[in-house]
């Protein structure tokens, strides 16, 4: 029996819209080909950005975009990516396929992209192979509005007005590709680097320290213990966390499509572990920061499979199925539950890499929206809404000797008073009925959308781009304050409950 109780007139915490943010790295065909094709390309573009991709992403109300990496960030030297494109030095992208990076997409192009997307920029600076001066000057180049060598340079490159940037990461995965540091060493490096990440004018930077890999609670503990300044205040505004759903193996060994039920189960069980991670990292943060001044920033999450056959192993190009749709829904439900601490998350990655929203066909102008895209679309109603307290008792979805709850749910009330309820069914075989008691509101009208499919690995292709897409949902019925939801097997539903 699946029983849900929602208190529609309660709730005090806001679901920060930045939970719905994105990550685009110089990796494979994410930036080049996926987003940026250059002004001379045959693919319709505006100042080099693909019009179709930008329009699709705008529709999601992306709050911010993290760039340029990832592992690439700690090898990126920003001065290589400014000035006339033809003069920009080239480099080898050693992390991702060993391809030549021509730096044609740099700082100016990134801010242009963010302007076209209507989102805020989030830059991750280079700690691993960069210098303090380099990071300091990048901030000055972007945000200073006075006379200085960096602003002269910016003007020479065609931009007299400074940009504004709030989110700044001080390194990425510094326990690994960002320098293989011990947490104690990184904490000291963080203290030093962040000192020179200045607030110019009224541009106030939200500093994000490189955080833990998945279950490395010691990293969080050491960072929280060692990042206060002389006045007792934290020197960071956010601490990051990275976690990928891989099916318990590294390097990733599961395929994105044509998988058996065991791999469906393993990935969804991995996705559900995000809740445990948030709980445990938050508990450590609570000890040092009971006022919750430091946000937990999950700036990389998503599925990671083996690459599509015939594609460059370093490009991390993978298909995206109904399983990924469930992974996205389970993550959002967890992020909402912990929204007192989780201020931002960034899915990895936006286009053509890992759990992407959009896949573009190489050498053509075709693109597809993935099942994950559709979940972002269905869930966007929760951005900046008030989290509603709910209790859920779920049937189990068992596979072999293991089981996870079949049902997951989250609910919120937006600023206009509309209540939205998202419910998902991870069980690939069994439809489930959810009995929902609605407290504190009179519902007169219900509308909804459902994303479901016949097979576990249903996905969109360039020839069949609409195989998996949301349709109107007619499985909700109301009797007084009792709502009954008939959830199809492997489905994600979002309902709007109106007076
Ligand atoms: O998202 C792909 C890679 O995963 C990122 O570059 C890195 O930060 C992480 O290990």
């Amino acid at each position: 029996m699946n029983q849900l109780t929602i208190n529609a007139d309660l709730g005090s915490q806001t679901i920060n819209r930045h939970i719905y943010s994105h990550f685009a790295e110089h990796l494979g065909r994410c930036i080049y080909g996926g987003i940026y094709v250059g002004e001379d390309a045959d693919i319709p573009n505006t100042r080099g950005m693909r019009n179709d991709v930008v329009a699709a992403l705008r529709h999601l109300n992306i709050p911010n975009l993290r760039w340029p990496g990832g592992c690439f960030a700690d090898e990126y030297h920003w001065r290589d990516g400014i000035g006339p494109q033809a003069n920009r030095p080239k480099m080898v992208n050693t992390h991702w396929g060993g391809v030549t990076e021509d730096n044609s997409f740099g700082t100016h192009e990134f801010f242009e992209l963010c302007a076209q997307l209507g989102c805020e920029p989030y830059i991750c600076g280079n700690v691993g192979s960069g210098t303090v001066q380099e990071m300091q000057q990048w901030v000055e180049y972007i945000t200073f509005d006075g006379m200085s060598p960096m602003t002269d340079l910016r003007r020479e490159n065609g931009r007299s007005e400074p940009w504004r940037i709030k989110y700044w990461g001080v390194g990425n995965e510094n326990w690994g590709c960002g320098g293989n540091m011990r947490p104690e060493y990184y904490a000291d490096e963080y203290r030093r680097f962040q000192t020179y990440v200045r607030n110019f004018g009224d541009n106030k930077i939200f500093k994000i320290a490189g955080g833990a890999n998945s279950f490395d609670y010691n990293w969080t503990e050491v960072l929280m213990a060692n990042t206060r300044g002389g006045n007792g205040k934290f020197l960071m505004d956010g601490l990051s966390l990275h976690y990928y759903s891989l099916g318990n193996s590294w390097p990733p060994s599961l395929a994105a499509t044509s998988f058996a039920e065991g791999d469906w189960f393993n990935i969804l069980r991995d996705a559900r572990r995000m809740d445990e991670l948030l709980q445990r990292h938050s508990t450590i943060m609570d000890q040092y920061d009971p006022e919750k001044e430091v946000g937990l920033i999950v700036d990389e999450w998503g599925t990671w499979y083996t690459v599509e056959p015939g594609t460059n192993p370093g490009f991390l190009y993978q298909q995206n199925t109904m399983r990924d749709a469930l992974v996205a829904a389970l993550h959002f439900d967890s992020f909402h539950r912990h929204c007192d601490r989780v201020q931002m998350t960034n899915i990895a990655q936006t286009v053509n890499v890992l759990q992407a929203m959009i896949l573009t066909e190489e050498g053509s102008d075709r693109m597809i929206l993935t099942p994950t895209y559709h979940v972002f679309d269905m869930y966007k109603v929760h951005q900046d809404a008030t989290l509603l307290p709910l209790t859920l008792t779920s049937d189990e979805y068992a596979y072999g000797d293991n089981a996870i709850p079949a049902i997951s749910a989250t609910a919120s009330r937006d600023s206009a008073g509309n209540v939205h309820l998202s419910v998902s069914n991870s069980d690939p075989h069994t439809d489930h009925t959810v009995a929902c008691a609605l407290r504190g509101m009179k519902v007169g009208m219900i509308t909804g959308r459902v994303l479901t499919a016949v097979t576990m690995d249903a996905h969109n292709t360039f020839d069949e781009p609409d195989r998996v897409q949301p349709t109107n949902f007619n499985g909700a019925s109301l009797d007084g304050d009792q709502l009954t939801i008939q959830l199809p097997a492997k489905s994600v539903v979002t309902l709007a409950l109106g007076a």
Side-chain angles (χ1 to χ4, degrees):
M1 176 69 177
N2 302 298
Q3 179 68 53
L4 183 60
T5 303
I6 298 174
N7 292 294
D9 56 342
L10 299 180
S12 56
Q13 288 157 5
T14 300
I15 298 166
N16 195 320
R17 70 190 183 94
H18 286 277
I19 284 173
Y20 288 83
S21 296
H22 284 251
F23 169 38
E25 182 167 10
H26 286 235
L27 196 178
R29 296 190 300 112
C30 183
I31 295 288
Y32 297 113
I35 293 173
Y36 185 72
V37 287
E39 295 188 26
D40 300 333
D42 291 336
I43 297 174
N45 69 83
T46 303
R47 289 180 285 287
M49 314 297 159
R50 282 182 74 131
N51 291 342
D52 53 353
V53 170
V54 168
L57 294 176
R58 272 188 80 89
H59 180 73
L60 296 182
N61 297 343
I62 293 178
N64 78 62
L65 182 65
R66 179 175 183 251
W67 173 85
C71 292
F72 182 78
D74 281 278
E75 278 194 310
Y76 182 63
H77 300 283
W78 69 272
R79 289 182 79 147
D80 294 347
I82 56 171
Q85 286 178 327
N87 300 346
R88 296 184 190 176
K90 296 182 172 45
M91 66 180 279
V92 184
N93 191 335
T94 47
H95 277 293
W96 306 121
V99 293
T100 302
E101 160 69 55
D102 70 2
N103 279 308
S104 54
F105 188 96
T107 302
H108 291 247
E109 290 76 18
F110 175 60
F111 279 92
E112 170 65 28
L113 172 62
C114 291
Q116 290 190 25
L117 293 175
C119 76
E120 289 190 52
Y122 167 15
I123 284 182
C124 183
N126 181 345
V127 169
S129 71
T131 64
V132 172
Q133 183 187 33
E134 188 179 0
M135 192 181 291
Q136 177 194 34
Q137 290 182 333
W138 201 4
V139 176
E140 182 184 320
Y141 183 88
I142 291 168
T143 62
F144 186 51
D145 190 17
M147 296 288 286
S148 84
M150 287 302 114
T151 54
D152 286 348
L153 190 57
R154 193 183 67 222
R155 283 189 199 99
E156 272 170 36
N157 291 329
R159 172 88 190 186
S160 52
E161 294 293 302
W163 294 281
R164 295 187 71 81
I165 184 165
K166 179 171 176 184
Y167 299 109
W168 195 276
V170 180
N172 169 74
E173 296 194 350
N174 301 92
W175 40 263
C177 63
N180 282 307
M181 301 175 193
R182 294 172 302 108
E184 293 79 6
Y185 181 80
Y186 172 71
D188 283 346
E189 285 291 86
Y190 174 79
R191 297 174 70 91
R192 190 165 72 102
F193 271 75
Q194 69 77 37
T195 306
Y196 305 95
V197 175
R198 305 283 191 201
N199 294 325
F200 289 106
D202 63 353
N203 187 82
K204 170 89 176 70
I205 290 188
F206 183 103
K207 297 174 189 170
I208 299 170
N213 178 19
S214 313
F215 303 95
D216 183 356
Y217 300 111
N218 181 51
W219 186 280
T220 298
E221 179 100 38
V222 172
L223 264 289
M224 291 303 291
N226 291 291
T227 47
R228 284 184 194 273
N231 61 3
K233 293 222 171 291
F234 281 103
L235 299 170
M236 60 184 175
D237 302 293
L239 177 60
S240 81
L241 168 68
H242 290 180
Y243 175 68
Y244 286 95
S245 299
L246 319 151
N248 283 334
S249 65
W250 184 262
S253 60
L254 305 187
T257 59
S258 303
F259 49 81
E261 186 179 347
D263 290 343
W264 166 277
F265 181 87
N266 284 336
I267 289 290
L268 295 188
R269 186 175 53 181
D270 270 14
R272 278 195 164 268
R273 295 201 74 183
M274 177 55 85
D275 213 67
E276 174 194 340
L277 277 169
L278 298 178
Q279 182 71 49
R280 291 183 187 275
H281 284 285
S282 296
T283 306
I284 295 166
M285 293 174 81
D286 286 347
Q287 281 170 6
Y288 294 91
D289 175 30
E291 302 301 323
K292 301 190 195 301
E293 286 166 19
V294 179
L296 187 54
I297 310 292
V298 188
D299 50 15
E300 288 188 29
W301 65 271
T303 54
W304 194 324
Y305 309 121
T306 52
V307 299
E308 290 305 303
T311 65
N312 186 328
F315 281 13
L316 311 187
Y317 176 78
Q318 64 188 39
Q319 251 295 357
N320 193 293
T321 70
M322 199 55 222
R323 179 175 61 179
D324 297 87
L326 263 303
V327 166
L330 293 174
H331 275 79
F332 286 138
D333 297 350
S334 288
F335 296 147
H336 292 187
R337 269 193 290 280
H338 295 276
C339 70
D340 58 336
R341 180 65 79 176
V342 177
Q343 293 187 18
M344 181 201 294
T345 89
N346 304 70
I347 191 166
Q349 298 192 9
T350 308
V351 186
N352 289 335
V353 170
L354 300 177
Q355 192 176 347
M357 308 297 108
I358 293 176
L359 302 178
T360 65
E361 192 178 43
E362 203 164 359
S364 96
D365 62 357
R366 296 203 293 181
M367 69 159 215
I368 50 178
L369 305 178
T370 65
T372 298
Y373 176 97
H374 293 306
V375 173
F376 269 71
D377 191 19
M378 291 165 69
Y379 266 68
K380 71 186 180 193
V381 290
H382 298 297
Q383 291 186 15
D384 273 347
T386 302
L387 179 71
L388 296 180
L390 59 77
T391 52
L392 170 65
T393 317
S394 170
D395 288 344
E396 282 189 342
Y397 158 44
Y399 181 78
D401 293 337
N402 297 305
I404 57 173
I407 307 301
S408 179
T410 191
S412 69
R413 187 181 58 247
D414 69 17
S415 54
N418 303 308
V419 169
H420 293 100
L421 167 63
S422 294
V423 200
S424 59
N425 179 6
S426 294
D427 190 325
H429 306 300
T430 312
D431 298 353
H432 278 269
T433 301
V434 180
C436 176
L438 289 171
R439 301 206 176 131
M441 83 176 286
K442 287 251 170 298
V443 179
M445 203 185 70
I446 304 173
T447 55
R449 288 201 299 162
V450 59
L451 188 73
T452 187
V454 176
T455 60
M456 290 180 285
D457 75 343
H459 55 277
N460 295 328
T461 65
F462 296 106
D463 292 326
E464 282 187 274
D466 299 326
R467 206 191 281 167
V468 186
Q469 63 171 330
T471 54
N472 288 338
F473 182 63
N474 302 315
S477 57
L478 202 60
D479 180 6
D481 63 358
Q482 285 297 313
L483 173 66
T484 304
I485 309 166
Q486 309 285 353
L487 273 184
K490 44 179 143 37
S491 65
V492 180
V493 165
T494 293
L495 300 174
L497 311 177

